Amino acid sequence: MKNILTIATGGTISCEPSADGLIPALSGETIISLVPELKTVCRISCLELVQLDSSNLTPSDWVKMAKAVAENYDEYDGFVITHGTDTMAYSAAALHEMLRQLEKPVIFTGAQLPIEAPKTDAKDNVYDAFLAACSSVPGVFLAFNHNIHDGAYVKKTHSEDFIGFSSVNAPVAGKVENGAITWQKEYLDRHSENHFTPHYDLCEKVFLLKLLPGLSPKIIETLGALGYRGIIIEGFGAGGVPTDEGKNDFLPAIKKAIADEMTIICTTQCQNNGTHLDKYPIGILAARCGAISGENATCELLTACLMLALAEKNSPAEIRNFIADRLANPMQL
């Protein structure tokens, strides 16, 4: 039997009622004890990392999770991270970027209902997560509603429905049926060319800016004055920004920000089909100013990628090349 480490971080899965609503309270060991079928799947150890609603998690907690995996890497065959659903896609994307050249599975899971609630989805999700952790398929994944999502492509798309998450611009990595996972072939063939290398440095001065019709481009100057070093602009349609010189032309603001060594990524507000800055003037002109295309990446992955690039690379060109390389193939380990 394989040895799997559970890293508990709180979330709805661990919640109990309180005067202020549901609050994380159950330990990882308690969660595991409520899924007795796991005794026949693997040997399990538990690490209590934090006990938080995932809306209260910050990038410093991503570092704690990454370090928990790295510090126990040689002792275990795989890892399951129990986590709140609200920001689990952000954490999965972050660890996908931070845990490079993984040779083992790291599986996030959680639930839309506490594990002790009637008709909870938690027990199935936990069981599926351990199946994935025992699979030897390397990488960061998220197990939910009998789907295994690649951490690079996953997004929370349902606030309460048991579906919970979707794979965006990619098929699900695997499906669980009758206690077994059917993986997409490319994941079965996946392997790392190099040794596992964790990265912990993150620059948190990243802002996600959702455009609204009529929004003033002065917001970019304001964000620069506040010390932000990178902005992900969620533009309209294919990812463009307003360019009407008579109204709210964003091009001068983007050009000045880039001249001041701020990194600008343009992405789309649309969930599917990705960013295409080469289609209309609103995208082509932004790219000519130096904006980077978000390609098919989720905002969660762009956030993690940009935070790492700003922390690890010294020049705008290095930052740009790092992001372009990571976005060219999000499946890379």
Side-chain angles (χ1 to χ4, degrees):
M1 297 180 78
K2 292 191 174 182
N3 296 310
I4 307 298
L5 178 64
T6 303
I7 301 170
T9 70
T12 295
I13 192 170
S14 69
C15 277
E16 290 186 335
S18 78
D20 298 319
L22 293 171
I23 58 171
L26 301 181
S27 68
E29 288 190 352
T30 300
I31 291 171
I32 298 307
S33 72
L34 293 170
V35 192
E37 300 89 340
L38 291 174
K39 292 178 181 178
T40 63
V41 175
C42 56
R43 289 186 289 268
I44 301 172
S45 301
C46 292
L47 172 63
E48 308 296 331
L49 193 65
V50 295
Q51 186 70 283
L52 293 171
D53 184 305
S54 73
S55 292
N56 291 324
L57 291 173
T58 68
S60 65
D61 295 301
W62 302 341
V63 174
K64 290 178 184 177
M65 294 177 210
K67 286 185 174 179
V69 172
E71 290 167 1
N72 294 280
Y73 192 76
D74 292 335
E75 297 180 36
Y76 294 93
D77 301 300
F79 302 84
V80 170
I81 302 176
T82 57
H83 195 292
T85 61
D86 288 353
T87 64
M88 185 155 55
Y90 279 98
S91 295
L95 264 64
H96 169 81
E97 289 298 304
M98 297 170 75
L99 301 177
R100 309 265 183 82
Q101 287 84 50
L102 265 175
E103 299 161 316
K104 299 177 181 181
V106 175
I107 316 297
F108 281 86
T109 198
Q112 298 284 47
L113 292 176
I115 195 166
E116 292 183 316
K119 298 182 180 179
T120 181
D121 57 329
K123 295 179 182 180
D124 282 349
N125 290 343
V126 169
Y127 187 84
D128 291 351
F130 278 93
L131 287 181
C134 291
S135 70
S136 300
V137 175
V140 177
F141 299 95
L142 191 155
F144 217 87
N145 194 47
H146 303 304
N147 289 316
I148 311 297
H149 302 281
D150 189 326
Y153 294 102
V154 68
K155 178 181 283 289
K156 186 173 183 182
T157 53
H158 297 74
S159 62
E160 292 189 336
D161 194 290
F162 284 172
I163 293 170
F165 294 82
S166 301
S167 289
V168 175
N169 295 322
V172 296
K175 286 186 171 290
V176 184
E177 294 180 302
N178 301 318
I181 302 175
T182 302
W183 291 92
Q184 294 283 346
K185 183 179 184 299
E186 55 264 42
Y187 291 97
L188 294 174
D189 296 337
R190 202 181 201 189
H191 66 281
S192 172
E193 299 290 344
N194 301 295
H195 292 297
F196 171 59
T197 308
H199 294 248
Y200 304 127
D201 292 333
L202 296 171
C203 172
E204 297 186 29
K205 302 303 288 185
V206 169
F207 195 89
L208 178 60
L209 175 63
K210 188 182 184 78
L211 293 190
L212 299 172
L215 180 70
S216 171
K218 290 182 180 179
I219 187 67
I220 292 180
E221 182 180 349
T222 300
L223 291 171
L226 290 172
Y228 283 93
R229 294 182 55 207
I231 303 176
I232 301 164
I233 301 177
E234 273 197 354
F236 305 119
V241 300
T243 60
D244 188 340
E245 293 182 11
K247 294 182 180 177
N248 58 332
D249 183 3
F250 267 73
L251 297 178
I254 289 173
K255 188 179 294 185
K256 183 180 185 303
I258 292 172
D260 293 338
E261 299 194 348
M262 185 181 291
T263 301
I264 305 291
I265 299 176
C266 284
T267 187
T268 173
Q269 295 178 17
C270 301
Q271 179 172 295
N272 299 304
N273 305 134
T275 305
H276 303 278
L277 297 186
D278 59 349
K279 194 168 185 179
Y280 301 102
I282 58 173
I284 292 169
L285 295 175
R288 285 180 187 169
C289 289
I292 300 169
S293 172
E295 303 298 339
N296 287 330
T298 63
C299 286
E300 291 85 347
L301 184 65
L302 292 174
T303 299
C305 190
L306 184 52
M307 285 185 175
L308 272 162
L310 292 172
E312 292 188 352
K313 304 303 176 183
N314 297 317
S315 72
E318 288 178 321
I319 292 168
R320 186 182 189 90
N321 291 338
F322 175 91
I323 293 171
D325 177 67
R326 295 301 291 176
L327 297 186
N329 181 16
M331 259 190 69
Q332 64 189 313
L333 292 166

